[in-house]
């Protein structure tokens, strides 16, 4: 009987060959999220995909862009790239550093607003999968509201009446925000209440097409509405920086805090005993609320990665309800953008999330296309005029005129307007 003997060494290697895995490395600026990825998100994916191993490898946030650029040029970047919204990632795609994701299973779970931050200007190609957004609105001190007999305002009239009553009490600062750092005045102020007045996506796209201007209509009305906050800001607000305002509110000395949803986790850590509540951007002049549901984080594939198939498998999972549930609960205030069902256990974060069903949604007016010029820069102009407006150094009309003039100086669809 003729027998073919199989060497023992080959028998030992056979199981290893069957268990061969692909390792994916994720580049990210979110080093704060390392524990969440390591302990929750990655194990859940690897359990469903035992042949793919994932390594989360963040850089310092301030150094991320430079580090990533250097790695991409050197050919040492990871397989998956955490994507900044809008122009930085578009720049990488145009330089052929990111793969097109068209045709990816799960991409249909995202609407056009969610994909806008990581798509070409014509919307035909998406190069990062939308991972999370932040939502603007208002946080409030529930104990202060209860003490003063206040309820959550839904209209501007109710909001201003509540501010007046809080100020009259003399016990709490009505509206906790400073203007020293400037960006809060635009981001938490103008871009918070403004989308309702400029009809959300209609107005935002009007700026891009040239049919809307910052010194007219809803964009001017938003400056006027922001000016009405001035009497209710804290004493010395002109010298109040962002961390100062956070401390003031966390100590329970303020009643209302114009917020980004990322502040939820911050206040939970700073003062777990603070009774947080939240209300959506209020209606103004009878207009239905529109929230700023701002795309913040995406995830794309390094075009030079040798593991394209495994990377697409991972991104398909990121588009799922399983990822959405994990991510939203691990990082309250960062909301997955996929149109899948998920709930979050933090009641304040869940309140923010419900506004998507109650209000229209848009994102910051200056982020898509309009801030591509270095100087003047549309985003920086909004920081400047919004803070000057609240400081009393500029009227709403002057604020709108300056922003419009600077935008029209370089952006062709706005020239002469």
């Amino acid at each position: 009987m003729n027998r073919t003997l199989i060497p023992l060494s080959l028998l030992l290697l056979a199981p290893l060959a069957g268990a061969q895995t692909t390792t994916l490395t994720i580049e990210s600026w979110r080093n704060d999220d390392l524990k969440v990825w390591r302990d929750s998100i990655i194990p859940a994916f690897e359990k469903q995909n035992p042949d793919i191993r994932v390594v989360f490898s963040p850089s310092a946030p301030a150094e991320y862009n430079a580090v990533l650029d250097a790695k991409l040029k050197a050919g040492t970047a990871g397989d998956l790239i955490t994507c900044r919204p809008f122009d930085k990632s578009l720049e990488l795609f145009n330089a052929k550093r990111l793969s097109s994701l068209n045709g990816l299973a799960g991409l249909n779970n995202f609407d056009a607003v969610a994909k806008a931050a990581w798509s070409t200007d014509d919307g035909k190609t998406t190069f990062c999968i939308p991972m999370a957004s932040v939502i603007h609105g208002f946080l409030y001190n529930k104990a202060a509201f209860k003490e003063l007999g206040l309820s959550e305002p839904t209209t501007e009239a109710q909001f201003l009446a509540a501010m007046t009553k809080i100020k009259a009490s003399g016990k709490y600062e009505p509206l906790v925000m400073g203007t020293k750092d400037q960006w809060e005045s635009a981001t938490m102020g103008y871009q918070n209440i403004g989308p309702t007045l400029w009809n959300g996506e209609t107005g935002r796209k009007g700026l891009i097409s040239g049919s809307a201007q910052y010194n007219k209509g809803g964009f001017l009305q938003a400056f006027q509405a922001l000016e009405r906050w001035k009497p209710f800001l804290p004493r010395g607000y002109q010298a109040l920086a962002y961390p100062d305002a956070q401390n003031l509110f966390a100590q329970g000395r303020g009643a209302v805090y114009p917020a980004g949803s990322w502040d939820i986790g911050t206040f939970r850590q700073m003062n777990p005993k603070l009774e947080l509540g939240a209300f959506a951007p209020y209606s103004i002049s009878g207009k239905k609320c529109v929230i700023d549901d701002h795309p913040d984080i995406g995830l794309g594939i390094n075009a030079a990665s040798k593991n394209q198939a495994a990377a697409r498998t991972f991104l398909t999972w990121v588009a799922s309800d399983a990822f959405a549930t994990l991510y939203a609960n691990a990082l309250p205030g960062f909301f997955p953008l996929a149109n899948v069902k998920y709930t979050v256990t933090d009641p304040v974060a869940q309140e923010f999330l419900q506004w998507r069903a109650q209000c229209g949604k848009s994102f910051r007016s200056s982020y898509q296309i309009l801030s591509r010029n270095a100087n003047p820069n549309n985003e920086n102009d909004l920081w400047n005029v919004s803070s000057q407006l609240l400081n009393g150094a500029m009227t709403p009309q002057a604020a709108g005129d300056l922003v419009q003039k600077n935008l029209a100086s370089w952006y062709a669809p706005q020239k002469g307007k």
Side-chain angles (χ1 to χ4, degrees), residues 331-390:
L331 297 166
F334 291 87
F335 300 102
L337 286 154
N339 292 320
V340 295
K341 288 185 177 180
Y342 66 93
T343 57
V344 292
T345 56
D346 186 300
V348 175
Q350 180 63 27
E351 177 68 27
F352 273 74
L353 186 59
Q354 288 174 353
W355 301 342
R356 283 179 174 170
Q358 299 166 2
C359 304
K361 68 175 186 176
S362 183
F363 54 82
R364 296 172 202 156
S365 63
S366 52
Y367 268 59
Q368 188 177 34
I369 300 175
L370 303 185
S371 290
R372 288 180 180 171
N373 193 61
N375 187 23
N377 178 274
N378 192 219
E379 173 68 1
N380 292 344
D381 283 343
L382 289 175
W383 291 15
N384 175 34
V385 302
S386 297
S387 58
Q388 294 305 316
L389 175 71
L390 290 173

Side-chain angles (χ1 to χ4, degrees), residues 27-44:
E27 302 283 355
S28 176
W29 69 88
R30 293 286 307 173
N31 52 7
D32 287 348
D33 302 345
L34 177 59
K35 186 174 187 305
V36 169
W37 280 89
R38 186 189 60 201
D39 296 348
S40 300
I41 296 173
I42 290 174

Side-chain angles (χ1 to χ4, degrees), residues 24-27 37 41 45 48-49 52 54 78-83 97-110 118 126-132 297-303 305 307-324 336 338 340:
L24 298 175
T25 300
I26 302 175
E27 302 283 355
W37 280 89
I41 296 173
F45 171 78
Q48 294 181 22
N49 299 273
I52 301 176
V54 181
D79 307 276
L80 293 160
I81 307 296
T82 303
C83 301
R97 299 294 191 189
L98 291 171
S99 300
S100 166
L101 298 185
N102 288 357
L104 180 83
L107 199 58
N108 290 336
N109 289 342
F110 302 91
W118 298 287
T126 299
F127 42 82
C128 299
I129 201 158
M131 199 156 67
I297 306 174
L299 197 61
I301 300 175
N302 179 355
S305 168
N307 301 313
Q308 298 285 318
R312 291 177 77 87
T313 297
F314 186 81
L315 293 192
T316 298
W317 181 75
V318 168
S320 71
D321 53 356
F323 173 83
V340 295

Side-chain angles (χ1 to χ4, degrees), residues 50-125:
D51 56 340
I52 301 176
R53 180 172 173 264
V54 181
V55 177
F56 187 71
S57 178
S59 306
E63 300 169 3
Y64 178 70
N65 289 1
V67 169
L68 178 62
D69 285 345
K71 285 184 174 180
L72 287 169
K73 288 177 182 174
T76 58
D79 307 276
L80 293 160
I81 307 296
T82 303
C83 301
R84 304 275 193 191
F86 301 103
D87 288 348
K88 178 58 185 173
S89 293
L90 179 60
E91 179 185 307
L92 291 178
F93 175 71
N94 287 337
K96 303 187 186 307
R97 299 294 191 189
L98 291 171
S99 300
S100 166
L101 298 185
N102 288 357
L104 180 83
L107 199 58
N108 290 336
N109 289 342
F110 302 91
D111 61 27
V113 175
K115 291 188 289 190
W118 298 287
S119 295
T120 50
D121 288 351
D122 60 11
K124 292 182 178 177
T125 302

Side-chain angles (χ1 to χ4, degrees), residues 125-347:
T125 302
T126 299
F127 42 82
C128 299
I129 201 158
M131 199 156 67
S133 72
V134 292
I135 297 175
H136 291 291
F138 298 86
L139 294 170
Y140 71 94
N141 181 333
K142 293 179 79 171
F145 266 48
K146 183 178 180 181
E147 178 184 334
L148 299 175
L150 299 170
S151 56
E152 296 176 2
T154 59
T155 67
E156 185 188 43
Q158 293 173 359
F159 176 78
L160 296 176
M163 292 290 101
T164 301
K165 189 170 183 178
I166 296 164
K167 186 173 183 178
S169 78
K171 187 171 181 180
Y172 301 97
E173 298 289 356
L175 193 57
V176 182
M177 188 179 78
T179 60
K180 182 182 179 182
D181 291 341
Q182 295 195 339
W183 68 269
E184 309 99 300
S185 304
T187 305
M188 321 281 232
Y190 187 71
Q191 302 280 12
N192 188 352
I193 57 175
T196 295
L197 285 163
W198 60 68
N199 297 321
E201 284 294 276
T202 300
R204 188 189 69 77
K205 291 180 177 177
L207 288 176
I208 294 172
S209 69
S211 65
Q213 283 73 47
Y214 274 111
N215 57 354
K216 297 176 183 175
F219 291 94
L220 175 59
Q221 292 165 11
F223 283 123
Q224 294 167 339
L226 181 64
E227 188 187 41
R228 292 192 278 273
W229 287 15
K230 185 170 174 277
F232 307 112
L233 295 173
R235 283 157 287 191
Y237 66 89
Q238 298 90 341
L240 205 66
Y242 179 54
D244 302 326
Q246 288 180 313
N247 281 324
L248 184 61
F249 186 71
Q251 291 168 9
R253 295 163 56 197
V256 175
Y257 181 92
S261 54
W262 64 86
D263 286 311
I264 297 170
T266 303
F267 290 128
R268 295 284 190 220
Q269 290 182 0
M270 292 178 74
N271 183 2
K273 294 182 179 179
L274 181 66
E275 295 181 57
L276 275 181
F279 59 88
Y282 43 78
S283 169
I284 306 176
S285 303
K287 286 178 174 286
K288 181 186 176 184
C289 58
V290 178
I291 58 169
D292 183 339
D293 191 359
H294 193 75
D296 191 55
I297 306 174
L299 197 61
I301 300 175
N302 179 355
S305 168
K306 296 178 180 177
N307 301 313
Q308 298 285 318
R312 291 177 77 87
T313 297
F314 186 81
L315 293 192
T316 298
W317 181 75
V318 168
S320 71
D321 53 356
F323 173 83
T325 300
L326 271 172
Y327 194 87
N329 284 291
L331 297 166
F334 291 87
F335 300 102
L337 286 154
N339 292 320
V340 295
K341 288 185 177 180
Y342 66 93
T343 57
V344 292
T345 56
D346 186 300

